[in-house]
Amino acid sequence: MPNGQENAQAQGVWPLADSPAITDSPDKAEPIRFVGNRKGLFWLAFKTGLWTILTLGLYRFWMKTRMRRWYWSAIRPAGHPFEYVGNPWEKLLGFLIAVVILAFYIGIVNLILMFVSFSLLSNNFAAYAVSFIGVIPLWFYARYRARRYVLARTRWRGVRFGLEPGAWGYAFRALGHWTLTVLTAGLMWPRMTFWLEKYVTDRTFYGSARMNQGGDWKMLMPAITHAVIGVVFTGGAALSIMQNPAMAWMLVGSMPWLLYGLVHYSVESRRLLANEKTAGGVGLWSQARPRRIARIYGFGYVAVFFMLMIPLVPVSVLIVLLEAQEVGLRGDNPFFVWLGTLPRTLLTIVGVLLYFSVFLFWNVLTQVFLTMPILRHYAQTLAVTDADKLYDISQRARDEFAEAEGFAEALDVGAAL
């Protein structure tokens, strides 16, 4: 049995029934399969999440490593699974290094800003505002560094991926593009998306092959149409509600359109950009469908909400009735009288357990009903073109990355996978 299959089965990953979504891919295209099931993912997410809570968050570095190995092994271009070889100790050490650096940087900068603000303006508002703006480039810096680490620890067919250094260049470009996007009320969003993706893609390697992002930012303009219409309708609805609160019903139609517009742009821009990516003559062909992703989001969040409500509603009702019993609103019901004799410490412990269980099951259920279905759709609608040229690509040197994803973890920029 191949090593990829052994690793996948050891983690509870089993092949799903084939349901290829590639219908008109170019010649010499190798489809990508996604193997796995919700049951294996549920128990892995539950066990790692529980250990993370019991260790007060320390185990999250091991949790992310195990989750990535599960997902990576489930994605199989041309029948070969990806491999994630990241080390949780690297993540922990990187996090500690980043915390020390950020604490020193933010502490010194804030101290200087506070001094200047009080000296010149006699208040600290300007210092807080400048301090917040000063942290924004660090967010972009951390995202680039996190992506570099993940690629450096990802292999396919034994060949390493990699990303050249360039985090500060990315950070300042992102800051400039975001400023332009905000000043143009979002109309330059496609321009920002294209150029930031091109900056990262053109510095990405698969073995000895450098990737290239082709195309032009104008090709993304049609993808933003639904989002623009949604913004216009939602803005008009908001103005109407300000004049007449009875017009709140207008949001029922405008908000879903806006939300779908954002999903549509995200999926369609990814598809268009993927179709223009090449590396050593090898290309990609994506047929990701915005409506399918929108349905996953819709049904997924509804499923997660109702599953969380099943234990929360009866427990919440019980707590309310218990409080009512204490103030004498429930009479002498024996059941509530008995509950009233329980130690308050026990009730506090139950409340704390319920509080943490909500976070635990939120993470588990979103993995099962949102993250996995979305990733599966992207994988099953993607193909590798001219895959025979992969044999011309050779290995690259290992990227020694001392601080791993420390800055992304410390700043919580959402670089989970």
Side-chain angles (χ1 to χ4, degrees):
M1 181 182 292
N3 292 336
Q5 291 182 0
E6 292 178 352
N7 294 337
Q9 291 183 7
Q11 299 176 55
V13 185
W14 298 93
L16 293 171
D18 289 340
S19 56
I22 301 294
T23 56
D24 57 348
S25 58
D27 295 336
K28 299 181 181 179
E30 291 283 352
I32 296 179
R33 295 182 62 224
F34 186 95
V35 299
N37 58 37
R38 286 189 170 94
K39 181 180 178 181
L41 178 60
F42 177 90
W43 286 113
L44 178 61
F46 178 80
K47 289 184 293 185
T48 56
L50 181 60
W51 276 111
T52 301
I53 291 176
L54 294 177
T55 58
L56 302 180
L58 181 63
Y59 192 77
R60 66 175 174 157
F61 305 102
W62 282 261
M63 177 185 71
K64 291 181 68 172
T65 300
R66 294 183 65 183
M67 294 295 293
R68 281 178 181 163
R69 287 174 181 170
W70 193 96
Y71 279 114
W72 267 233
S73 67
I75 303 173
R76 302 187 176 185
H80 299 274
F82 283 111
E83 295 178 76
Y84 179 71
V85 294
N87 190 318
W89 289 104
E90 288 180 329
K91 296 180 177 62
L92 176 58
L93 179 61
F95 173 75
L96 296 176
I97 294 174
V99 167
V100 172
I101 295 175
L102 289 174
F104 177 79
Y105 168 79
I106 295 174
I108 295 299
V109 169
N110 283 341
L111 183 62
I112 296 173
L113 290 175
M114 285 293 180
F115 175 78
V116 173
S117 182
F118 275 111
S119 299
L120 300 179
L121 304 174
S122 300
N123 64 66
N124 59 359
F125 176 78
Y128 284 127
V130 175
S131 177
F132 174 76
I133 294 174
V135 172
I136 293 177
L138 292 178
W139 293 342
F140 300 124
Y141 173 86
R143 292 185 68 88
Y144 187 94
R145 298 283 288 184
R147 184 163 177 171
R148 181 183 166 193
Y149 172 76
V150 172
L151 285 173
R153 298 297 181 264
T154 298
R155 297 176 183 175
W156 183 52
R157 297 160 58 104
V159 179
R160 302 183 185 96
F161 287 84
L163 180 62
E164 289 182 339
W168 282 119
Y170 178 84
F172 289 115
R173 283 171 173 79
L175 191 61
H177 281 297
W178 268 107
T179 301
L180 179 62
T181 301
V182 171
L183 292 177
T184 58
L187 293 179
M188 289 293 102
W189 192 5
R191 186 177 186 274
M192 176 182 67
T193 301
F194 176 82
W195 285 111
L196 290 182
E197 183 65 20
K198 182 172 177 60
Y199 181 88
V200 176
T201 302
D202 290 353
R203 286 161 176 77
T204 301
F205 283 82
Y206 171 62
S208 59
R210 178 189 288 270
M211 294 188 67
N212 175 67
Q213 178 63 64
D216 184 79
W217 70 271
K218 296 182 182 66
M219 70 183 185
L220 303 182
M221 290 299 291
I224 204 174
T225 303
H226 286 286
V228 172
I229 295 174
V231 169
V232 171
F233 281 3
T234 303
L239 292 176
S240 300
I241 293 171
M242 292 175 61
Q243 298 175 359
N244 181 9
M247 301 296 290
W249 60 268
M250 295 180 64
L251 291 176
V252 175
S254 62
M255 283 300 295
W257 198 335
L258 174 60
L259 294 175
Y260 174 75
L262 297 176
V263 173
H264 183 275
Y265 176 75
S266 175
V267 178
E268 191 66 6
S269 62
R270 288 173 187 267
R271 184 185 70 82
L272 294 171
L273 290 169
N275 292 344
E276 297 292 339
K277 284 181 169 63
T278 56
V282 181
L284 296 175
W285 181 254
S286 172
Q287 290 187 357
R289 302 186 179 106
R291 292 184 181 179
R292 174 58 180 162
I293 297 296
R295 286 197 298 269
I296 292 174
Y297 274 118
F299 290 116
Y301 276 116
V302 169
V304 171
F305 175 79
F306 279 105
M307 288 187 180
L308 285 178
M309 289 299 102
I310 291 175
L312 282 179
V313 169
V315 172
S316 300
V317 171
L318 185 61
I319 292 175
V320 171
L321 293 177
L322 180 58
E323 294 297 329
Q325 172 67 24
E326 290 191 354
V327 298
L329 298 179
R330 295 291 300 173
D332 297 327
N333 187 298
F335 176 70
F336 292 103
V337 171
W338 173 77
L339 284 179
T341 62
L342 296 177
R344 300 298 297 180
T345 304
L346 177 61
L347 297 178
T348 301
I349 293 174
V350 172
V352 171
L353 292 176
L354 180 64
Y355 174 80
F356 282 108
S357 67
V358 170
F359 288 99
L360 172 61
F361 281 100
W362 171 265
N363 175 66
V364 172
L365 294 175
T366 52
Q367 290 287 343
V368 171
F369 291 103
L370 288 166
T371 304
M372 191 197 80
I374 289 173
L375 192 59
R376 181 175 60 191
H377 178 77
Y378 277 122
Q380 291 181 336
T381 55
L382 189 66
V384 180
T385 62
D386 296 316
D388 56 316
K389 296 181 181 179
L390 290 169
Y391 296 100
D392 299 329
I393 298 175
S394 58
Q395 184 64 284
R396 63 179 281 109
R398 188 175 189 270
D399 187 357
E400 299 296 340
F401 212 87
E403 73 274 18
E405 302 169 275
F407 286 96
E409 292 279 1
L411 293 171
D412 192 19
V413 296
L417 289 176

